[in-house]
Amino acid sequence: MATIREIDDKLTVLEERIAEFKDEMKDIEQLSELHAEYDRTAEMASDLTPHDRVFLARHARRPKVDDYIDALFEDFFVQRGDILNKEDKSIYGGIATFHGVPVTVLGHRKGRDLQENMEFNFGMPEPEGYRKALRLMKQAEKFGRPIITFIDTPGAYPGLDAEAHGQSQAISQNLAEMSALKVPVIAIVTGEGCSGGALAIGVANSVYMLENAVYSVLSPEGFASILWKDSARADEACKLMKLTSFDLKEYGVIEGIIREPLGGAHHNPSVVYREIDEMLVRELRRFKGKSGSEIARDRYEKFRNIDSAVLSV
């Protein structure tokens, strides 16, 4: 049986061949055969293991936060810096409009190649990034703007400088401040959501996950290293960690799942953008007319109720 990596590679080759046939107006019958072969190959990705979903969550071609911002929002104005120190490029955010409504949007930023990965620190924020995120969110509260966050990180940066500059304090302050925000917060886990590095922008009224995203206390490799002293057992760890969108929906940790095309979001991002757009319209409508105290209470109740949801499973 083909692995998810082999299926993904074949889908990519078929996409390139289909695009070539369309550009050069080649034989229509052959083009139809290519489409049929693509559908058959994609169907092979309909029954994925948790480890398969980790592979897709980390895929280099998976849409990034700037892709979502470009596709879903208008009039985006980027904001930088934490005022105290440096600009942390692993957190990307600013002010935008969504269907004419002013919003604050931010998220973890990963690169598309090695150079960008280095520039954005592989999506692992330092304290400056979390302070920037909090600055944007407090500004949003001041002006009554809903907050939308996109989560995709292997975790907060664990370096000595980050710890010296207050990494744990920055994360804990975000958790505390976000829990009391008086504007709606909607979080979407688009790829990896690991540890406090994810939760620091994930204390939301509503949390959604893309179908092949993962959300966990740490990476499967880290889990396996701690439990068995063997990171090679990450596949086994994925099954135990209950980190998939389907697991977390069952446990009441998230409100809903954004469906992806077979083979992953990177094979047809427009489908995912449309699903997120519809979800955001629905969620923002739900909070329209609610007072700040009601919105904060709603968020509090969401997290208080997770324990009972898990115990009932």
Side-chain angles (χ1 to χ4, degrees):
M1 184 176 178
T3 66
I4 186 60
R5 187 184 299 273
E6 291 167 341
I7 294 169
D8 180 71
D9 288 343
K10 187 172 181 181
L11 287 175
T12 301
V13 170
L14 287 169
E15 286 167 353
E16 292 171 353
R17 291 184 64 191
I18 289 170
E20 179 186 330
F21 267 66
K22 286 181 178 179
D23 289 343
E24 298 182 9
M25 299 296 289
K26 291 188 176 180
D27 187 270
I28 298 299
E29 186 175 340
Q30 284 186 280
L31 181 60
S32 178
E33 290 176 1
L34 282 173
H35 277 292
E37 185 178 0
Y38 184 93
D39 291 341
R40 288 193 299 270
T41 304
E43 190 63 34
M44 296 167 64
S46 60
D47 186 20
L48 300 177
T49 68
H51 196 240
D52 291 337
R53 297 191 192 280
V54 170
F55 169 80
L56 292 178
R58 295 171 171 173
H59 201 287
R61 288 176 53 210
R62 199 166 178 82
K64 307 297 189 291
V65 61
D66 48 332
D67 296 316
Y68 291 108
I69 289 173
D70 290 344
L72 296 166
F73 304 95
E74 296 179 338
D75 309 314
F76 178 69
F77 176 74
V78 66
Q79 294 183 288
R80 299 182 175 89
D82 74 332
I83 298 177
L84 298 177
N85 198 0
K86 66 179 181 180
E87 158 67 355
D88 185 344
K89 293 184 178 181
S90 63
I91 291 285
Y92 183 67
I95 305 166
T97 57
F98 177 75
H99 291 266
V101 177
V103 297
T104 288
V105 56
L106 60 100
H108 300 100
R109 194 177 200 184
K110 287 183 176 179
R112 292 174 172 80
D113 52 37
L114 182 58
Q115 182 176 346
E116 285 192 352
N117 285 336
M118 296 290 288
E119 183 181 357
F120 305 144
N121 205 31
F122 294 85
M124 296 186 292
E126 298 185 58
E128 293 81 4
Y130 291 119
R131 286 195 289 263
K132 175 171 66 173
L134 183 58
R135 178 173 69 82
L136 267 60
M137 290 188 282
K138 295 297 288 183
Q139 182 192 75
E141 181 181 48
K142 179 179 179 179
F143 292 101
R145 294 191 296 264
I147 299 165
I148 299 160
T149 73
F150 293 90
I151 296 170
D152 185 14
T153 179
Y157 184 62
L160 290 175
D161 283 348
E163 294 299 331
H165 293 170
Q167 183 72 289
S168 59
Q169 190 275 340
I171 292 173
S172 61
Q173 184 175 4
N174 276 30
L175 301 182
E177 297 273 7
M178 286 189 76
S179 66
L181 288 171
K182 291 180 168 56
V183 291
V185 183
I186 302 165
I188 307 152
V189 185
T190 60
E192 290 182 282
C194 290
S195 192
L199 197 57
I201 62 168
V203 183
N205 296 83
S206 299
V207 180
Y208 284 77
M209 289 177 67
L210 266 64
E211 182 177 354
N212 295 312
V214 294
Y215 200 20
S216 60
V217 68
L218 78 171
S219 70
E221 293 82 4
F223 183 99
S225 295
I226 292 170
L227 192 61
W228 301 303
K229 304 295 187 292
D230 184 3
S231 63
R233 295 176 68 177
D235 187 350
E236 189 177 349
C238 289
K239 297 173 185 176
L240 293 177
M241 292 174 72
K242 305 297 183 184
L243 45 60
T244 72
S245 59
F246 300 98
D247 293 323
L248 295 166
K249 179 67 170 66
E250 183 180 6
Y251 294 144
V253 175
I254 65 171
E255 276 60 49
I257 299 171
I258 306 295
R259 296 291 177 177
E260 297 185 35
L262 289 174
H266 55 289
H267 288 295
N268 193 352
S270 60
V271 172
V272 176
Y273 300 150
R274 184 168 59 249
E275 289 274 338
I276 294 177
D277 184 90
E278 293 173 0
M279 178 275 289
L280 289 175
V281 168
R282 186 172 63 249
E283 285 292 330
L284 291 176
R285 187 182 298 128
R286 183 165 74 89
F287 293 103
K288 191 173 183 180
K290 287 191 175 184
S291 69
S293 297
E294 288 174 319
I295 291 168
R297 183 71 186 180
D298 175 272
R299 192 180 309 115
Y300 172 84
E301 292 294 340
K302 170 197 164 49
F303 283 90
R304 288 290 294 174
N305 290 334
I306 288 175
D307 282 346
S308 58
V310 171
L311 289 172
S312 67
V313 174

